[in-house]
Amino acid sequence: MASSSGPLNEELLCSICLDVFTDPVTAPCGHNFCRTCLNKFWTNTQTCCCPSCKETFSGRPDLKINTTLREVVQHFKEKLYLGRPEVLCDICDERKQKAVKSCLTCQSSFCETHLEPHHRVQRLKKHTLINAVENLEDYICQKHERPLELFCRDDQMCVCMSCTEGEHRTHNTVPIEEESEEKKNQLVQKQTDVQQMIQDRMKKIQEIQHSVEERKRNTEEEKSASVELCTNLIRSIERCQSELLKMMEEQQKAAEKQAEDLIKELQQEISDLKKRNAELEQISHAEDHLYLLQMFSSLPSHPHTKNWAEICIDSEVNVPSKNGALIQLKKTLDERLNQIGQTGLKCLQTFAVDVTLDPETAHPSLILSDDGKQVSHGNIKQDVPENPKRFDICSCVLAKQGFSSGRFYFEVQVKGKTAWSLGVSREYINRKGKILLTPEDGYWTLILRNENQYKASDNPSLSLSLKVKPEVVGVFVDYEEGLVSFYDAGHQSHIYSFTGQTFTDKLYPYFSPYLHEGGKNSKPLIISPVNK
């Protein structure tokens, strides 16, 4: 049946046995199969799924025959049968009737009326009758003009009785019905083998898809756990770092208070000494010798003063011994930050996004590459359309892509530059006139100036001491956690993090190649592909 399929027939084929439906049933997903084929497919499976779309069902569905589809299939089969050429009776003279049988001996086709003698006359009863066929000559030996009633297994061809008396005399011949039945059995076995191969391959597809899904679940769980571990580690370090900074600020305030007290004491001593100096000057100018001698002998000793030679304010930050834990943290901070870089950066890189520069936001002096991945300062203002999105004073540009939830990561090559700034900014920021790169103004950025002066644009800005100059900077944002972190992607080390931020607008990646500086800083910032 499948060999005669047309466009409609293809829609009526079972995808398992590849033949026209027999007792069609419909799976919950909407796909149709032979009832026997689908039950056999589910026999050796732990879970029931659709052989076509692989949708998995919670339990084995109760399959009922799709009566409408069955009627369509039956109608198609009848139409296919009726569509075959009609064989007419060879004996009818006027209005020829439909033939019901063809006689291989008479080599003619007969209607019911003219076939009657073959059922009545003893001689005619011995003739070989078959279902009416149009190409009757195909059933007759062309050499002997006798019915092809035998099959030669040696030559694999149909022969007549006369053939077995000639060239096929010594060959293995059997009745054509016997060989046909044998071939049918072989075809059934081949069909069974093919169906089994189909089942095996569909089962393998199911196994592969199951493995992929399991791998995907495991990967997502590992990613989630790694990101959570990394985020918690960053929070822990940032909290400790905040405590250190707070302690250092308190030390600075204590030093300033100590200096203020010492200065007051020095100023008091200076005042006392000036007063003594005035008294001495007055006595030294007296013309009354007796008075001078009397006053000199009554002069008290020098005012009480300190030995200031050994008193000073220590310029180094000394962590008090009572903060031993913070001292230890200060010593191990770099080590732990590097641990974040080595164990967590690869995880953060899985959140990499494709970022391209938005020319509508670019300052007129900036030159953008055609692919939107590079920006440099051209030192000459270009004639570009004015619009509310464009920066008009600060030489910076935003990305086209904005993010209002989740996590994202991108990397920027800064190699060869002496100044730049990059990070993220809010969507609704002031883009006209001079801008301040602070979180309060909607910017979270890392800045380089004068080739080796790095700072985080916090409020107040914080100078950073980096052991090596990063050539590729990674920027990671966790919108819900209020986290913006910067990494030296090449050395897999943490640089700085803004924590505890609150985001309400979309965040856009921010880039500034800074000024041209006479060619000294002409290299571009390059948005680099992330090697996950």
Side-chain angles (χ1 to χ4, degrees):
M1 185 71 72
S3 62
S4 305
S5 63
L8 176 60
N9 192 5
E10 293 176 3
E11 297 177 4
L12 301 180
L13 295 182
C14 171
S15 62
I16 298 177
C17 67
L18 305 180
D19 206 344
V20 178
F21 291 122
T22 300
D23 292 335
V25 293
T26 304
C29 59
H31 291 105
N32 300 303
F33 308 92
C34 298
R35 180 170 61 178
T36 302
C37 294
L38 189 55
N39 283 330
K40 186 176 180 181
F41 179 78
W42 285 344
T43 299
N44 299 319
T45 57
Q46 295 180 348
T47 58
C48 293
C49 71
C50 173
S52 294
C53 67
K54 305 308 174 188
E55 180 179 340
T56 302
F57 312 123
S58 57
R60 185 158 181 164
D62 182 17
L63 299 175
K64 297 185 181 299
I65 294 177
N66 187 328
T67 55
T68 302
L69 181 56
R70 183 173 62 180
E71 291 176 2
V72 171
V73 171
Q74 183 62 33
H75 176 72
F76 171 76
K77 289 180 178 179
E78 293 174 357
K79 184 178 179 182
L80 181 64
Y81 178 78
L82 292 174
R84 294 173 180 173
E86 188 177 73
V87 180
L88 300 178
C89 178
D90 292 327
I91 309 302
C92 294
D93 291 331
E94 297 180 358
R95 184 179 179 183
K96 288 187 175 294
Q97 299 297 314
K98 177 182 175 182
V100 293
K101 291 291 182 179
S102 295
C103 178
L104 297 181
T105 307
C106 301
Q107 298 185 25
S108 298
S109 297
F110 303 96
C111 64
E112 287 282 2
T113 301
H114 291 109
L115 182 65
E116 189 270 337
H118 281 75
H119 296 309
R120 176 173 47 83
V121 179
Q122 191 63 34
R123 178 177 58 83
L124 296 179
K125 287 183 178 180
K126 296 179 180 180
H127 288 190
T128 303
L129 297 177
I130 62 173
N131 289 330
V133 293
E134 186 179 22
N135 53 334
L136 192 56
E137 63 276 7
D138 291 344
Y139 295 81
I140 305 297
C141 177
Q142 299 301 311
K143 183 176 181 180
H144 302 108
E145 296 186 352
R146 296 186 66 179
L148 297 172
E149 299 176 303
L150 302 171
F151 185 81
C152 177
R153 288 179 172 174
D154 292 342
D155 294 334
Q156 291 291 301
M157 61 183 295
C158 295
V159 296
C160 68
M161 291 298 297
S162 297
C163 292
T164 61
E165 296 172 358
E167 57 184 305
H168 296 275
R169 182 170 57 85
T170 60
H171 292 183
N172 180 17
T173 57
V174 295
I176 198 168
E177 294 82 6
E178 180 181 336
E179 184 65 21
S180 176
E181 193 64 31
E182 178 68 22
K183 290 293 191 288
K184 281 184 180 179
N185 293 334
Q186 292 178 14
L187 288 172
V188 170
Q189 183 58 48
K190 287 184 178 181
Q191 187 179 22
T192 301
D193 294 342
V194 170
Q195 289 178 350
Q196 185 60 48
M197 291 172 66
I198 293 172
Q199 296 291 337
D200 292 343
R201 281 151 182 76
M202 296 186 76
K203 185 177 180 180
K204 179 57 67 175
I205 290 174
Q206 189 177 8
E207 291 176 0
I208 293 173
Q209 290 179 330
H210 178 73
S211 298
V212 170
E213 290 298 323
E214 187 174 2
R215 172 67 180 269
K216 183 179 179 180
R217 286 194 299 270
N218 292 338
T219 300
E220 290 300 324
E221 290 174 1
E222 290 177 6
K223 282 171 55 179
S224 178
S226 298
V227 171
E228 183 178 359
L229 174 63
C230 180
T231 303
N232 291 337
L233 191 54
I234 290 175
R235 289 178 188 166
S236 173
I237 290 178
E238 290 301 324
R239 283 195 299 269
C240 295
Q241 179 176 287
S242 177
E243 292 177 15
L244 266 179
L245 295 176
K246 182 178 179 181
M247 180 196 66
M248 293 176 183
E249 289 175 0
E250 291 175 352
Q251 287 185 346
Q252 177 62 27
K253 290 180 180 179
E256 291 174 357
K257 180 66 168 58
Q258 180 188 7
E260 182 181 350
D261 293 342
L262 292 175
I263 290 172
K264 285 182 179 179
E265 191 173 349
L266 281 167
Q267 288 175 340
Q268 182 61 48
E269 288 192 6
I270 290 172
S271 178
D272 293 343
L273 290 171
K274 284 182 176 180
K275 183 177 180 182
R276 173 57 58 86
N277 187 56
E279 292 176 353
L280 294 174
E281 184 177 2
Q282 181 181 3
I283 295 173
S284 66
H285 287 83
E287 295 181 356
D288 186 338
H289 302 293
L290 181 60
Y291 171 76
L292 187 148
L293 293 174
Q294 289 174 342
M295 293 301 295
F296 185 85
S297 59
S298 64
L299 283 174
S301 60
H302 290 298
H304 176 71
T305 59
K306 286 184 178 180
N307 181 7
W308 293 95
E310 297 181 359
I311 296 178
C312 64
I313 300 296
D314 191 356
S315 60
E316 297 293 328
V317 178
N318 296 315
V319 181
S321 57
K322 66 179 180 179
N323 292 312
L326 292 180
I327 296 176
Q328 183 61 32
L329 172 65
K330 184 175 174 62
K331 292 180 180 179
T332 59
L333 187 58
D334 286 341
E335 178 183 344
R336 295 180 68 185
L337 289 175
N338 285 334
Q339 181 186 6
I340 290 178
Q342 294 166 3
T343 62
L345 185 57
K346 286 295 181 183
C347 176
L348 301 183
Q349 288 173 333
T350 62
F351 296 99
V353 293
D354 185 18
V355 173
T356 52
L357 302 170
D358 185 358
E360 292 188 0
T361 66
H363 181 273
S365 296
L366 297 184
I367 301 175
L368 276 60
S369 61
D370 292 339
D371 62 359
K373 297 294 185 179
Q374 301 186 26
V375 56
S376 58
H377 195 284
N379 212 28
I380 298 176
K381 280 194 174 183
Q382 305 170 85
D383 185 15
V384 293
E386 173 56 33
N387 67 74
K389 295 169 63 177
R390 191 180 304 282
F391 292 92
D392 63 349
I393 297 296
C394 295
S395 55
C396 50
V397 60
L398 300 182
K400 292 180 180 179
Q401 295 77 17
F403 305 88
S404 56
S405 64
R407 304 178 177 109
F408 63 93
Y409 176 87
F410 60 94
E411 291 181 352
V412 184
Q413 181 178 313
V414 297
K415 182 179 180 180
K417 295 192 64 61
T418 60
W420 47 261
S421 57
L422 59 92
V424 293
S425 75
R426 292 200 315 257
E427 179 177 13
Y428 301 108
I429 49 174
N430 178 30
R431 308 188 187 196
K432 307 301 180 183
K434 187 176 181 180
I435 61 176
L436 296 176
L437 295 179
T438 65
E440 287 74 16
D441 291 285
Y443 297 89
W444 293 265
T445 60
L446 185 67
I447 299 172
L448 170 65
R449 294 291 184 266
N450 301 323
E451 196 168 352
N452 56 12
Q453 296 178 0
Y454 295 91
K455 64 179 180 178
S457 63
D458 215 329
N459 192 9
S461 63
L462 179 65
S463 295
L464 304 173
S465 178
L466 304 185
K467 294 181 179 179
V468 292
K469 293 183 63 174
E471 295 185 350
V472 178
V473 175
V475 183
F476 173 73
V477 177
D478 188 327
Y479 193 97
E480 282 74 22
E481 291 294 335
L483 174 68
V484 181
S485 294
F486 297 88
Y487 295 85
D488 180 340
H491 294 86
Q492 296 187 337
S493 60
H494 176 263
I495 298 176
Y496 185 79
S497 290
F498 293 90
T499 59
Q501 307 298 306
T502 301
F503 304 131
T504 54
D505 301 349
K506 270 189 178 180
L507 295 180
Y508 286 82
Y510 166 94
F511 310 86
S512 173
Y514 203 55
L515 303 178
H516 188 266
E517 296 183 347
K520 183 180 177 183
N521 190 39
S522 61
K523 294 280 187 179
L525 289 177
I526 304 174
I527 301 172
S528 306
V530 177
N531 296 319
K532 299 180 183 179

